[in-house]
């Protein structure tokens, strides 16, 4: 047990993402509220998203198609071409939205890269995620970037094998209990949960599912360097306990 | 120089793809020909696709959004909700289209996997490509699958390094001069071109760009095993020349 690789989720762990979806939901409702109640629009959009996940996967392009599908259905085809155009524009705005780093991210990565191999492990749309990593300005801190279509025990296991990473030397850091913590716990690796204030319904996990999984919870990523001696006590004793 | 790894492009090399786009173009025109001339629809759709590539990347979802954008613009917003719905359905049909293997693919892979490490190197939408590989029934022939957002000299070079593959031991097989042959030639690796009868305009390369690149052209993938002794003469002499 010797911590070598720390992997970070990207959306809502390194930079804001869910807030862009929340804002877009609001703008979607504003376009269509003349046709239908906001609650109905939101509920139906979520249902359409989930129904389309097995066709579209995660990401903005599939979400935009789901917005269009929801809009046509809920307006019973009364939606105008101009309104469809506005929804396409919502999707394009999401794709070009500035990448806003969360607090403490850059200084934490800078510190940790001196001692560890850092990775990004994210899920979603390949092109969109690559673009965001490039625009974030963080790419040089990471020795590897892995973009998965789904994060589960099997995909993490293949990823660790492919990169010759031992489960016992690996720490995953992320905001999603479902995607970043639960499958890592099932593999027997270490995980740190840093909750983001907003979580997409699809990423929710009921508390009883988390009972058998051990993980550390931090308020923000800046707490990570000081907490590492407690998460990986055996190896950290030498170097980092000196600071305490 | 000892051939170890043969990598195959997927779309239009292992299975049909461009034909699905061509068919969808026809259905798109059929939906909208009451508003605009087929030639104008086709031309504008292509222009919108290319304009949106830097936002959407390659793949069906981005193409579907480009169809919707083109339809709204060319109908000057007169398009109906029902017609928008039909275009979304075109995209969904593409994503669920059966994967039709090209002739000789399966028996060729079966033969080659006995002597070489086989890979898929494809570009496009991560989720859609993974789904197609799974549905193709070919996954077990391949030791590795790499899905890139773009195929160029830099992305191939990183991929070979990451997989510890020597340029001199590597052969790329594909249908696109632009994505599968030109960048491989620039790296100094070997390439085999197997033209598909239809090529997307964006993948076209002018002949003078190919003048300095050496590559072999085959009629179909089934010719590959017998041609390998000529492409990699030094090592193949022993085993395979016996057949001649």
């Amino acid at each position: 047990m010797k911590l070598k690789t720390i992997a970070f989720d990207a959306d809502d762990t390194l930079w804001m993402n869910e807030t862009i979806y929340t804002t877009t939901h609001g703008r979607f409702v504003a376009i269509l509220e003349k046709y239908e109640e906001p609650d109905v629009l939101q509920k139906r959009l979520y249902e359409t998203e989930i129904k389309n996940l097995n066709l579209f996967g995660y990401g903005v392009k599939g979400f935009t198609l789901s917005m269009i599908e929801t809009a046509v259905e809920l307006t019973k085809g009364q939606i105008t071409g101009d309104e469809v155009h506005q929804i396409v524009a919502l999707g394009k705005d999401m794709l070009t939205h500035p990448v806003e780093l969360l607090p403490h991210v850059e200084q934490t990565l800078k510190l940790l890269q001196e001692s560890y191999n850092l990775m990004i492990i994210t899920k979603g749309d390949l092109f969109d995620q690559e673009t965001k990593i490039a625009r974030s300005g963080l790419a040089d801190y990471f020795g590897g970037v892995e973009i998965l279509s789904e994060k589960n025990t099997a995909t993490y296991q293949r990823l660790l094998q492919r990169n010759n990473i031992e489960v016992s030397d690996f720490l995953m850091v992320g905001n999603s209990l479902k995607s970043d913590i639960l499958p890592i716990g099932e593999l027997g690796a270490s995980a740190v949960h840093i909750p983001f204030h907003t979580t997409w319904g699809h990423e929710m996990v009921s508390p009883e599912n988390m009972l058998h999984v051990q993980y550390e919870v931090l308020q923000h990523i800046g707490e990570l360097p000081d907490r590492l001696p407690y998460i990986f006590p055996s190896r950290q004793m030498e170097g980092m306990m000196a600071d305490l």
Side-chain angles (χ1 to χ4, degrees), chain A residues 79-169:
Chain A
I79 190 168
T80 67
D82 179 58
E83 288 157 349
V84 171
H85 211 255
Q86 289 176 50
I87 297 173
V88 173
L90 291 185
K92 290 189 170 184
D93 284 353
M94 293 177 83
L95 291 169
T96 52
H97 195 284
V99 177
E100 296 174 37
L101 299 189
L102 290 173
H104 313 289
V105 162
E106 184 139 23
Q107 58 268 49
T108 304
L109 296 176
K110 199 167 182 175
L111 184 64
L112 292 174
Q113 67 152 1
E114 293 172 10
S115 310
Y116 307 100
N117 172 41
L118 306 187
M119 287 180 81
I120 288 179
I121 304 179
T122 181
K123 76 175 181 198
D125 185 86
L126 180 63
F127 185 79
D128 187 27
Q129 293 291 346
E130 283 185 358
T131 306
K132 283 198 280 189
I133 292 164
R135 288 186 291 143
S136 74
L138 300 177
D140 287 346
Y141 293 116
F142 297 98
V145 173
E146 296 277 351
I147 300 168
L148 305 173
S149 60
E150 189 64 89
K151 281 174 161 178
N152 56 39
T153 310
T155 55
Y156 275 114
Q157 191 157 35
R158 276 201 296 276
L159 185 158
L160 294 180
Q161 280 169 357
R162 192 167 64 233
N163 289 280
N164 296 315
I165 296 171
E166 295 288 332
V167 165
S168 57
D169 307 341

Side-chain angles (χ1 to χ4, degrees), chain A residues 27-38 41 74-75 78-80 82-84 86-87:
Chain A
R27 295 171 68 187
F28 175 75
V29 167
I31 295 170
L32 296 173
E33 61 189 354
K34 64 170 94 64
Y35 298 104
E36 189 52 274
E37 293 292 321
L41 287 163
L74 281 186
T75 64
Q78 298 302 302
I79 190 168
T80 67
D82 179 58
E83 288 157 349
V84 171
Q86 289 176 50
I87 297 173

